[in-house]
Amino acid sequence: MISNHRAPLVTQLVMYKVGAMDEPPGQTGIAHFLEHLMFKGTKNLAPGEFSKIVARNGGQENAFTSRDYTGYHQSFSSDRLEIMMQIESDRMCNLTLTQDDIEPERQVVLEERNTRVENNPSALLSEEVNAAFYLNHPYRRPIIGWRHEIESISRSNLLAFYNKWYAPNNAILVIAGDVNASDVLGLAKKYYGGIPSKKLPQRVKWVEPRHKSDRRITLRHKQVRQPQWLKKFITPGVMQDASSARALEILSEIIGGGTSSRIYQSIVVEQKIAASAGAWYDGETRGPGVFSFFATPLPGKSILDVERAMEKLILDLIEKGVSEEEVSMAVTRLQDAAIFARDGLYGPAVILGRALAIGLSADYVEQWPQRLTSVTNDDVNRVIRMVFGRPGSVTGLLLSEKRVRQD
């Protein structure tokens, strides 16, 4: 529970510790498909009634699916907490799915894939790069699923996935806002406490083998008007190596954190090669993390101009590292951002829910800003050499379908 009494508002977030990486073979997209269907009927509510109740009570709602977890949330007036807990707990155990519910929603999901992926060359490249990037880990599969497998997911598949993973002992409840602990605990016991636990299946301990070769993916597409370049490196995630993950978060802030970052200042401002460029680290995951670079060339500059500049920047990083001052300033910016992130209800709820869903503790979240101060520039330079100084990267090029001279 996260107390915030600035306004009489509450956010309820229920996170299930199941995501795309837990999908059975041949059923990619089932976690996301089920997320859509969770807004259909239950034994107690007609199809669509859940959303109508939220709206009638002045609330807002949504849901999301990731590789590691699936979340459902509502924000509403604090005097409606009991109603929201009642209906959210109801769909945790009483979902009813008919073929009439499933088929129209399947078309919605397929259209979502059309819009977000099939008609989006950047997303298509990302999907292709991801499939090549992970040699073994199910992170290589798209969260929304492959089209042919979405089309073949059956009602029995969906119910089996729901019955296997949706249970109170596989869920995290986060309440943020104008509430007190005793009220929340009482309502949680009343509505969630009576739902039986389930025997959860043993999870596969996926291990990504060492990447020994650099790979290159080129996608040409008729909709591309501006080429894009990206490069990804495998890294430790926070669940494998928390201290390295913190050093990589700081590195990401130094070289990719907005318009004052090293990459933007060098490639965009000084060299005037790219219209945009940066880097980011994603390590708050159950599986391995990833460090990514990206850039888009300015008109008149080629994709190879951008690639040469970015490769030189990475090489300089390996050879020269980062300074103590850069680390200190990055830590301050990240700590400031952590303070600003508390200024709301949904943001803090998601930060806490996401951390707990992958296996971190509430203490880790609370202590994260302070723990950053223990990271030195030697720590950051160590992870630079560890991640970028060995083979195993994947480079992606997004180009116009019309073949043109690249350099």
mmCIF file of all heavy atoms in Angstrom, residues 3 5 15 18 54 59 65 73 107 125 132 153 159 195-196 208 212 243 249 255 292 295 301 310 313 315 362 381:
data_model
loop_
_atom_site.group_PDB
_atom_site.id
_atom_site.type_symbol
_atom_site.label_atom_id
_atom_site.label_comp_id
_atom_site.label_asym_id
_atom_site.label_seq_id
_atom_site.Cartn_x
_atom_site.Cartn_y
_atom_site.Cartn_z
ATOM 1 N N SER A 3 0.539 5.241 0.655
ATOM 2 C CA SER A 3 -0.348 6.314 1.122
ATOM 3 C C SER A 3 -0.035 7.618 0.408
ATOM 4 O O SER A 3 1.128 8.003 0.271
ATOM 5 C CB SER A 3 -0.182 6.504 2.632
ATOM 6 O OG SER A 3 -0.662 5.379 3.317
ATOM 7 N N HIS A 5 -2.280 11.297 0.512
ATOM 8 C CA HIS A 5 -3.545 11.917 0.930
ATOM 9 C C HIS A 5 -3.750 13.299 0.319
ATOM 10 O O HIS A 5 -4.523 14.095 0.837
ATOM 11 C CB HIS A 5 -3.583 11.992 2.459
ATOM 12 C CG HIS A 5 -3.476 10.655 3.120
ATOM 13 N ND1 HIS A 5 -4.505 9.733 3.110
ATOM 14 C CD2 HIS A 5 -2.445 10.056 3.779
ATOM 15 C CE1 HIS A 5 -4.118 8.633 3.753
ATOM 16 N NE2 HIS A 5 -2.869 8.803 4.166
ATOM 17 N N MET A 15 -1.417 -7.193 -10.254
ATOM 18 C CA MET A 15 -0.409 -7.721 -11.176
ATOM 19 C C MET A 15 -0.351 -9.241 -11.037
ATOM 20 O O MET A 15 -0.147 -9.744 -9.922
ATOM 21 C CB MET A 15 0.969 -7.138 -10.842
ATOM 22 C CG MET A 15 1.068 -5.638 -10.985
ATOM 23 S SD MET A 15 1.427 -5.127 -12.670
ATOM 24 C CE MET A 15 3.206 -5.281 -12.675
ATOM 25 N N VAL A 18 2.577 -13.512 -14.490
ATOM 26 C CA VAL A 18 2.585 -14.322 -15.708
ATOM 27 C C VAL A 18 2.538 -13.373 -16.899
ATOM 28 O O VAL A 18 1.777 -12.413 -16.926
ATOM 29 C CB VAL A 18 1.390 -15.305 -15.736
ATOM 30 C CG1 VAL A 18 0.061 -14.581 -15.687
ATOM 31 C CG2 VAL A 18 1.462 -16.217 -16.942
ATOM 32 N N VAL A 54 -17.080 0.604 -13.557
ATOM 33 C CA VAL A 54 -15.968 1.545 -13.347
ATOM 34 C C VAL A 54 -16.379 2.940 -13.837
ATOM 35 O O VAL A 54 -16.189 3.944 -13.146
ATOM 36 C CB VAL A 54 -14.696 1.064 -14.082
ATOM 37 C CG1 VAL A 54 -13.596 2.122 -13.979
ATOM 38 C CG2 VAL A 54 -14.206 -0.262 -13.501
ATOM 39 N N GLY A 59 -14.655 6.218 -12.538
ATOM 40 C CA GLY A 59 -13.288 5.717 -12.577
ATOM 41 C C GLY A 59 -12.750 5.582 -13.994
ATOM 42 O O GLY A 59 -13.471 5.730 -14.982
ATOM 43 N N THR A 65 0.075 -5.996 -20.814
ATOM 44 C CA THR A 65 0.778 -7.284 -20.766
ATOM 45 C C THR A 65 2.233 -7.050 -21.113
ATOM 46 O O THR A 65 2.536 -6.336 -22.072
ATOM 47 C CB THR A 65 0.175 -8.273 -21.782
ATOM 48 O OG1 THR A 65 -1.216 -8.394 -21.542
ATOM 49 C CG2 THR A 65 0.829 -9.647 -21.664
ATOM 50 N N HIS A 73 -5.644 -2.248 -13.852
ATOM 51 C CA HIS A 73 -5.695 -1.137 -12.904
ATOM 52 C C HIS A 73 -6.909 -0.250 -13.134
ATOM 53 O O HIS A 73 -7.423 -0.145 -14.249
ATOM 54 C CB HIS A 73 -4.410 -0.307 -13.007
ATOM 55 C CG HIS A 73 -4.129 0.238 -14.373
ATOM 56 N ND1 HIS A 73 -4.567 1.467 -14.798
ATOM 57 C CD2 HIS A 73 -3.446 -0.299 -15.424
ATOM 58 C CE1 HIS A 73 -4.167 1.685 -16.038
ATOM 59 N NE2 HIS A 73 -3.492 0.628 -16.453
ATOM 60 N N GLN A 107 -10.511 -10.589 -33.365
ATOM 61 C CA GLN A 107 -10.365 -9.628 -34.473
ATOM 62 C C GLN A 107 -9.795 -8.302 -33.970
ATOM 63 O O GLN A 107 -9.018 -7.646 -34.666
ATOM 64 C CB GLN A 107 -11.725 -9.399 -35.158
ATOM 65 C CG GLN A 107 -12.312 -10.651 -35.789
ATOM 66 C CD GLN A 107 -11.302 -11.397 -36.668
ATOM 67 O OE1 GLN A 107 -10.664 -10.796 -37.533
ATOM 68 N NE2 GLN A 107 -11.172 -12.705 -36.451
ATOM 69 N N LEU A 125 10.891 -4.182 -37.554
ATOM 70 C CA LEU A 125 12.334 -4.389 -37.368
ATOM 71 C C LEU A 125 12.616 -4.866 -35.945
ATOM 72 O O LEU A 125 13.405 -5.800 -35.734
ATOM 73 C CB LEU A 125 13.095 -3.087 -37.636
ATOM 74 C CG LEU A 125 14.609 -3.169 -37.372
ATOM 75 C CD1 LEU A 125 15.276 -4.125 -38.354
ATOM 76 C CD2 LEU A 125 15.258 -1.785 -37.449
ATOM 77 N N ALA A 132 16.151 -12.592 -33.425
ATOM 78 C CA ALA A 132 17.553 -12.980 -33.643
ATOM 79 C C ALA A 132 18.401 -12.766 -32.392
ATOM 80 O O ALA A 132 19.426 -13.435 -32.220
ATOM 81 C CB ALA A 132 18.133 -12.152 -34.792
ATOM 82 N N ILE A 153 -5.478 -19.804 -31.429
ATOM 83 C CA ILE A 153 -5.698 -20.000 -29.985
ATOM 84 C C ILE A 153 -7.173 -20.304 -29.735
ATOM 85 O O ILE A 153 -8.057 -19.578 -30.198
ATOM 86 C CB ILE A 153 -5.262 -18.742 -29.197
ATOM 87 C CG1 ILE A 153 -3.740 -18.590 -29.249
ATOM 88 C CG2 ILE A 153 -5.733 -18.821 -27.751
ATOM 89 C CD1 ILE A 153 -3.226 -17.272 -28.691
ATOM 90 N N LEU A 159 -8.888 -20.748 -21.445
ATOM 91 C CA LEU A 159 -9.351 -21.118 -20.106
ATOM 92 C C LEU A 159 -8.261 -21.870 -19.344
ATOM 93 O O LEU A 159 -8.115 -21.691 -18.126
ATOM 94 C CB LEU A 159 -10.623 -21.974 -20.213
ATOM 95 C CG LEU A 159 -11.892 -21.197 -20.584
ATOM 96 C CD1 LEU A 159 -13.055 -22.150 -20.843
ATOM 97 C CD2 LEU A 159 -12.267 -20.184 -19.487
ATOM 98 N N ILE A 195 -10.570 -16.298 -1.907
ATOM 99 C CA ILE A 195 -10.340 -17.006 -3.185
ATOM 100 C C ILE A 195 -9.273 -18.072 -2.969
ATOM 101 O O ILE A 195 -8.172 -17.769 -2.478
ATOM 102 C CB ILE A 195 -9.877 -16.013 -4.279
ATOM 103 C CG1 ILE A 195 -10.928 -14.903 -4.458
ATOM 104 C CG2 ILE A 195 -9.629 -16.733 -5.595
ATOM 105 C CD1 ILE A 195 -10.484 -13.787 -5.379
ATOM 106 N N PRO A 196 -9.559 -19.310 -3.312
ATOM 107 C CA PRO A 196 -8.577 -20.385 -3.053
ATOM 108 C C PRO A 196 -7.279 -20.179 -3.829
ATOM 109 O O PRO A 196 -7.289 -19.723 -4.982
ATOM 110 C CB PRO A 196 -9.301 -21.649 -3.528
ATOM 111 C CG PRO A 196 -10.734 -21.278 -3.620
ATOM 112 C CD PRO A 196 -10.797 -19.819 -3.919
ATOM 113 N N GLU A 208 20.015 -17.862 -21.010
ATOM 114 C CA GLU A 208 20.487 -17.477 -22.335
ATOM 115 C C GLU A 208 21.960 -17.864 -22.452
ATOM 116 O O GLU A 208 22.785 -17.467 -21.621
ATOM 117 C CB GLU A 208 20.326 -15.960 -22.517
ATOM 118 C CG GLU A 208 20.623 -15.448 -23.897
ATOM 119 C CD GLU A 208 19.630 -15.897 -24.963
ATOM 120 O OE1 GLU A 208 18.650 -16.573 -24.634
ATOM 121 O OE2 GLU A 208 19.865 -15.566 -26.135
ATOM 122 N N LYS A 212 28.112 -15.547 -29.053
ATOM 123 C CA LYS A 212 29.487 -15.615 -29.559
ATOM 124 C C LYS A 212 29.691 -14.896 -30.889
ATOM 125 O O LYS A 212 30.812 -14.763 -31.360
ATOM 126 C CB LYS A 212 29.896 -17.088 -29.708
ATOM 127 C CG LYS A 212 29.887 -17.841 -28.388
ATOM 128 C CD LYS A 212 30.196 -19.311 -28.591
ATOM 129 C CE LYS A 212 30.157 -20.053 -27.263
ATOM 130 N NZ LYS A 212 30.334 -21.510 -27.449
ATOM 131 N N SER A 243 23.920 -5.373 -8.728
ATOM 132 C CA SER A 243 24.912 -4.294 -8.704
ATOM 133 C C SER A 243 25.293 -3.890 -10.135
ATOM 134 O O SER A 243 25.432 -2.694 -10.429
ATOM 135 C CB SER A 243 26.143 -4.718 -7.909
ATOM 136 O OG SER A 243 26.754 -5.835 -8.508
ATOM 137 N N GLU A 249 22.187 1.164 -15.304
ATOM 138 C CA GLU A 249 21.187 2.240 -15.263
ATOM 139 C C GLU A 249 21.871 3.598 -15.264
ATOM 140 O O GLU A 249 21.435 4.539 -15.950
ATOM 141 C CB GLU A 249 20.306 2.082 -14.022
ATOM 142 C CG GLU A 249 19.294 0.952 -14.150
ATOM 143 C CD GLU A 249 18.573 0.659 -12.851
ATOM 144 O OE1 GLU A 249 19.238 0.576 -11.794
ATOM 145 O OE2 GLU A 249 17.355 0.526 -12.889
ATOM 146 N N ILE A 255 24.991 8.290 -21.047
ATOM 147 C CA ILE A 255 25.168 8.345 -22.506
ATOM 148 C C ILE A 255 23.858 8.505 -23.274
ATOM 149 O O ILE A 255 23.881 8.936 -24.428
ATOM 150 C CB ILE A 255 25.923 7.105 -23.031
ATOM 151 C CG1 ILE A 255 25.101 5.825 -22.838
ATOM 152 C CG2 ILE A 255 27.278 6.967 -22.366
ATOM 153 C CD1 ILE A 255 25.740 4.611 -23.486
ATOM 154 N N SER A 292 20.491 -0.955 -25.423
ATOM 155 C CA SER A 292 20.226 -0.645 -26.832
ATOM 156 C C SER A 292 20.697 0.752 -27.194
ATOM 157 O O SER A 292 20.565 1.696 -26.407
ATOM 158 C CB SER A 292 18.726 -0.731 -27.118
ATOM 159 O OG SER A 292 18.244 -2.026 -26.899
ATOM 160 N N ALA A 295 19.678 5.402 -33.603
ATOM 161 C CA ALA A 295 19.943 6.682 -34.264
ATOM 162 C C ALA A 295 19.199 6.735 -35.591
ATOM 163 O O ALA A 295 18.974 5.708 -36.239
ATOM 164 C CB ALA A 295 21.445 6.865 -34.498
ATOM 165 N N LYS A 301 22.594 12.579 -44.851
ATOM 166 C CA LYS A 301 23.513 11.638 -44.209
ATOM 167 C C LYS A 301 22.978 10.224 -44.406
ATOM 168 O O LYS A 301 21.766 9.998 -44.428
ATOM 169 C CB LYS A 301 23.650 11.935 -42.714
ATOM 170 C CG LYS A 301 24.198 13.322 -42.401
ATOM 171 C CD LYS A 301 25.642 13.462 -42.848
ATOM 172 C CE LYS A 301 26.203 14.829 -42.487
ATOM 173 N NZ LYS A 301 27.604 15.003 -42.961
ATOM 174 N N MET A 310 28.280 6.015 -34.378
ATOM 175 C CA MET A 310 27.847 5.325 -33.158
ATOM 176 C C MET A 310 28.877 4.267 -32.746
ATOM 177 O O MET A 310 29.159 4.094 -31.551
ATOM 178 C CB MET A 310 26.470 4.688 -33.371
ATOM 179 C CG MET A 310 25.342 5.694 -33.546
ATOM 180 S SD MET A 310 24.998 6.679 -32.056
ATOM 181 C CE MET A 310 24.118 5.520 -31.048
ATOM 182 N N LEU A 313 31.697 5.946 -31.073
ATOM 183 C CA LEU A 313 31.331 6.363 -29.721
ATOM 184 C C LEU A 313 31.393 5.180 -28.743
ATOM 185 O O LEU A 313 31.870 5.312 -27.611
ATOM 186 C CB LEU A 313 29.925 6.958 -29.756
ATOM 187 C CG LEU A 313 29.460 7.670 -28.503
ATOM 188 C CD1 LEU A 313 28.619 8.891 -28.889
ATOM 189 C CD2 LEU A 313 28.653 6.747 -27.604
ATOM 190 N N LEU A 315 33.256 2.487 -29.112
ATOM 191 C CA LEU A 315 34.668 2.141 -28.942
ATOM 192 C C LEU A 315 35.358 3.103 -27.969
ATOM 193 O O LEU A 315 36.122 2.670 -27.099
ATOM 194 C CB LEU A 315 35.371 2.186 -30.314
ATOM 195 C CG LEU A 315 36.804 1.656 -30.343
ATOM 196 C CD1 LEU A 315 36.850 0.199 -29.916
ATOM 197 C CD2 LEU A 315 37.388 1.799 -31.764
ATOM 198 N N ALA A 362 9.847 -4.864 -1.711
ATOM 199 C CA ALA A 362 9.479 -3.454 -1.507
ATOM 200 C C ALA A 362 10.678 -2.687 -0.962
ATOM 201 O O ALA A 362 10.874 -1.504 -1.290
ATOM 202 C CB ALA A 362 8.300 -3.371 -0.550
ATOM 203 N N ASN A 381 32.594 1.505 -15.486
ATOM 204 C CA ASN A 381 33.561 1.142 -16.527
ATOM 205 C C ASN A 381 33.736 -0.375 -16.631
ATOM 206 O O ASN A 381 33.997 -0.906 -17.708
ATOM 207 C CB ASN A 381 34.897 1.827 -16.253
ATOM 208 C CG ASN A 381 34.789 3.332 -16.449
ATOM 209 O OD1 ASN A 381 33.956 3.799 -17.230
ATOM 210 N ND2 ASN A 381 35.603 4.099 -15.746
#
